[in-house]
Amino acid sequence: LNRIKASGLKLRFCTNETQATREKFVKKLQGMGFDISVAEVTAPAPAACRILKERSLRPHLLVHDDLVPEFAEIDKANPNCVVIGDAAENFTYANMNEAFRVLIGMEKPVLISLGRGRYYKETDGLKLDVGAYMKALEYACDVQAEVVGKPAEMFFQSALAEMGVPPQQAIMIGDDIENDVGGAQRCGMRALQVRTGKYR
Amino acid sequence: LNRIKASGLKLRFCTNETQATREKFVKKLQGMGFDISVAEVTAPAPAACRILKERSLRPHLLVHDDLVPEFAEIDKANPNCVVIGDAAENFTYANMNEAFRVLIGMEKPVLISLGRGRYYKETDGLKLDVGAYMKALEYACDVQAEVVGKPAEMFFQSALAEMGVPPQQAIMIGDDIENDVGGAQRCGMRALQVRTGKYR
């Protein structure tokens, strides 16, 4: 990372992290010694907030407690859509039923998903990611979620625009063959899969 | 029900009920005044047990506590498949992760689902049914579940065989357009949808 920054190459961190605000996420990485700032991070929650504002959507949130502050400025009264993120311990039976009831009660259900990952690895083992729970709600309500975050093309395009770099001159580095590599390639970027993290 | 029985027509109760043993389910209906016995009930759990025995499968169970006795005679040590039913309160984040880990750890994941309903209605509101959680595991493990119960054709065929009646001479009555009506029609039966229960 330091060598990339020293070389003058432009750099952006594209994360599907939705278990924490960008501030908290960046602080954690800084604490591990990484040279990173909030302004360098492209993340699903702020992208979703832009969409909610543009379309006058008021979300019912099924997200991690630590992500809620990202939606502080969003009107959440009388919801007309559901936003689902990697809610982790908040993926309870009661919370899933509640999100389902909000969706099924709409004339035309709107489901926005912060990523569509299948699973990820933590120190105590593999965990189901938001994509699995998104599929559950999609099936129950016969609706297709709008995915914000990797591997959505729009997400990579935002990151490229923020750097002012065309896709042909950019390379994506990640450990997920679909979210990182597949999404970037469909945008015209090159991509490199690292065999760390959840690689199996 | 009494008029059907008095008329001499053959009758069978086809249920996707997986929140209780057949014994408990029948007792509840008897308590409500219905003339019904365990021998008249076709249900997913005993159908799944037949499959498990035939194929030497040892299940990891993600089912309702009250259904567990139906699997009493099944070897569950060192599981080589996952059986999912409408686990209700047992659909916790931890239990979903555990079932996922068992599946993803197999060379060729085997997922058996006791029904594939989207949702059902209880006195306190709509609830996600087993189908939603089945989809979550299917997506996470890139596997297709084998569905036991309505609307699987084999399930209706079992019920017909138990009565000794050809499909053309049978009619299915239920409140679910897909599980009851669709499944029966694909078997060559006629079907009638009642506008009670979860009908919306």
Side-chain angles (χ1 to χ4, degrees), chain B residues 110-127:
Chain B
V110 175
L111 174 60
I112 294 175
S113 188
L114 306 180
R116 64 171 192 201
R118 294 170 188 266
Y119 58 87
Y120 55 88
K121 194 176 182 175
E122 289 199 332
T123 45
D124 57 343
L126 296 174
K127 304 272 176 83

Side-chain angles (χ1 to χ4, degrees), chain B residues 79-157:
Chain B
N80 58 3
C81 78
V82 168
V83 171
I84 185 174
D86 175 21
E89 302 289 345
N90 279 346
F91 280 135
T92 63
Y93 180 60
N95 285 348
M96 282 293 286
N97 282 332
E98 197 185 346
F100 161 68
R101 284 177 206 145
V102 171
L103 272 179
I104 202 77
M106 296 174 199
E107 201 177 338
K108 200 169 176 293
V110 175
L111 174 60
I112 294 175
S113 188
L114 306 180
R116 64 171 192 201
R118 294 170 188 266
Y119 58 87
Y120 55 88
K121 194 176 182 175
E122 289 199 332
T123 45
D124 57 343
L126 296 174
K127 304 272 176 83
L128 288 171
D129 200 354
V130 59
Y133 291 92
M134 172 193 87
K135 285 286 170 187
L137 292 177
E138 281 189 341
Y139 177 73
C141 301
D142 197 17
V143 65
Q144 186 152 16
E146 304 173 34
V147 177
V148 178
K150 298 182 285 185
E153 287 186 36
M154 215 179 67
F155 194 69
F156 289 102
Q157 282 157 0

Side-chain angles (χ1 to χ4, degrees), chain A residues 78-89:
Chain A
N78 189 17
N80 58 3
C81 78
V82 168
V83 171
I84 184 173
D86 174 21
E89 302 288 346

Side-chain angles (χ1 to χ4, degrees), chain A residues 63-137:
Chain A
V63 301
H64 198 284
D65 288 344
D66 291 345
L67 192 70
V68 173
E70 293 273 20
F71 295 88
E73 289 176 16
I74 302 288
D75 179 11
K76 292 176 278 288
N78 189 17
N80 58 3
C81 78
V82 168
V83 171
I84 184 173
D86 174 21
E89 302 288 346
N90 279 345
F91 280 135
T92 63
Y93 180 60
N95 286 348
M96 282 294 287
N97 281 333
E98 197 185 346
F100 161 67
R101 283 176 206 145
V102 171
L103 271 179
I104 202 78
M106 296 174 198
E107 200 177 337
K108 200 170 175 293
V110 176
L111 175 60
I112 294 175
S113 188
L114 306 179
R116 64 170 193 202
R118 294 169 189 267
Y119 58 87
Y120 56 87
K121 194 176 182 173
E122 288 198 333
T123 45
D124 57 340
L126 297 173
K127 305 272 176 83
L128 287 171
D129 201 354
V130 60
Y133 291 93
M134 171 193 88
K135 285 287 170 186
L137 292 177

Side-chain angles (χ1 to χ4, degrees), chain A residues 25 32 48-49 57 66 75 81 86 138 146 183:
Chain A
F25 167 70
M32 294 163 81
C49 285
L57 291 171
D66 291 345
D75 179 11
C81 78
D86 174 21
E138 280 189 343
E146 303 174 34

Side-chain angles (χ1 to χ4, degrees), chain B residues 157-168:
Chain B
Q157 282 157 0
S158 298
L160 290 167
E162 286 155 348
M163 292 187 290
V165 168
Q168 298 78 12

